[in-house]
Amino acid sequence: MRLEGKTAIVTGGASGFGAGIARKFAAEGAQVMIVDINHDGAMGMAEELGAGSFGHVANVAVSADVAETVATARQVFGEVDILVNNAGVTHLPKPMEEVSEEEFDRVFAVNCKSVYLFAHELAPFMKQRRAGAILNIASTAGVSPRPNLNWYNASKGWMNTATKAMAVELAPHGVRVNALNPVAGETPLLASFMGEDTPEMRAKFISTIPIGRFSTPEDLGNAACFMCSDEASMITGVCMEVDGGRCI
């Protein structure tokens, strides 16, 4: 029960890594607000987690949605102890010049602007309380970029730099900010990363991971739980790889 009495917002919490994080947080005693653009997914996950957790539909790239999300969380929870910026999208693998402007804008709106929007709405309250933990879910793509995922790589590199910038600014106010860098895993984005989801492509990708498997939602849940718990009270500005050695 490392998160007993804590409240948390998890974006993109209806599936993939977000679902793994939400499940772990609830198992460790937290009340979780599942934020997702998928209504049925958000409500289904909240029902699975049980009493104290609830689903909320929002587009994390839209300022009005984020403001309403934070207001709702504070109304229901009283205060928000933990924010996990997990929602993310990618473009299909292709040469950088073939990525459309629309695709580029969507990647940066969901992966980057959402972090700004939630900070804009939530950081003042965390600073006022002199307490809080923010966790950004980045990617090994932001540490060791892969060809043909150029603008996705850049968005996750942005997230790692934003994490450090946020951490050094918010530390004097008692707020910690960290990031996790998972390798690809069993999430809705897996096929997009690989271009096609075939046994051959999976084997090729896994061959680049020394531990020999993808990241799982459980891996991310375990790491996120530690980073957002009081056990990590001296850890801020860290972008931790959860990647089975992929970036070595």
Side-chain angles (χ1 to χ4, degrees):
M1 303 298 284
R2 288 182 289 173
L3 301 180
E4 187 171 12
K6 302 284 189 182
T7 60
I9 296 173
V10 179
T11 71
S15 62
F17 293 149
I21 292 169
R23 290 187 179 106
K24 180 65 175 180
F25 279 16
E28 292 284 347
Q31 295 176 273
V32 185
M33 180 186 195
I34 306 297
V35 180
D36 207 283
I37 202 166
N38 178 345
H39 174 276
D40 292 347
M43 300 309 158
M45 179 55 61
E47 183 178 356
E48 176 188 325
L49 298 184
S53 297
F54 68 102
H56 187 79
V57 179
N59 182 338
V60 298
V62 175
S63 59
D65 280 22
V66 173
E68 193 267 339
T69 296
V70 171
T72 300
R74 297 188 70 243
Q75 182 179 9
V76 174
F77 290 149
E79 295 293 349
V80 178
D81 299 305
I82 300 166
L83 166 66
V84 180
N85 288 307
N86 167 75
V89 296
T90 186
H91 53 80
L92 292 174
K94 64 181 77 173
M96 65 178 76
E97 69 274 16
E98 293 181 13
V99 176
S100 70
E101 184 176 359
E102 181 182 8
E103 289 174 307
F104 177 93
D105 287 344
R106 180 170 179 261
V107 165
F108 275 81
V110 176
N111 296 0
C112 303
K113 186 179 180 181
S114 64
V115 176
Y116 155 75
L117 291 175
F118 272 98
H120 182 268
E121 296 298 328
L122 193 54
F125 298 114
M126 287 185 166
K127 289 167 70 173
Q128 186 177 17
R129 294 176 62 216
R130 299 192 61 79
I134 299 173
L135 184 67
N136 298 323
I137 308 303
S139 170
T140 54
V143 181
S144 178
R146 293 177 53 213
N148 294 321
L149 282 175
N150 258 279
W151 309 120
Y152 174 78
N153 297 335
S155 74
K156 292 304 187 177
W158 181 97
M159 186 176 262
N160 283 323
T161 300
T163 296
K164 293 178 182 291
M166 294 168 71
V168 75
E169 181 171 330
L170 294 177
H173 302 281
V175 180
R176 299 186 302 107
V177 187
N178 293 293
L180 299 180
N181 285 299
V183 74
E186 295 288 353
T187 76
L189 294 184
L190 180 59
S192 298
F193 290 138
M194 296 191 301
E196 57 178 346
D197 190 353
T198 65
E200 293 77 19
M201 284 299 294
R202 285 185 174 230
K204 182 178 178 181
F205 200 102
I206 289 173
S207 70
T208 69
I209 304 171
I211 278 184
R213 64 175 178 83
F214 290 124
S215 294
T216 68
E218 291 74 23
D219 292 326
L220 270 291
N222 291 333
C225 180
F226 169 69
M227 294 297 263
C228 294
S229 74
D230 292 339
E231 293 175 354
S233 62
M234 192 58 174
I235 300 176
T236 196
V238 169
C239 300
M240 185 170 75
E241 290 146 26
V242 186
D243 68 345
R246 171 71 173 82
C247 287
I248 296 172

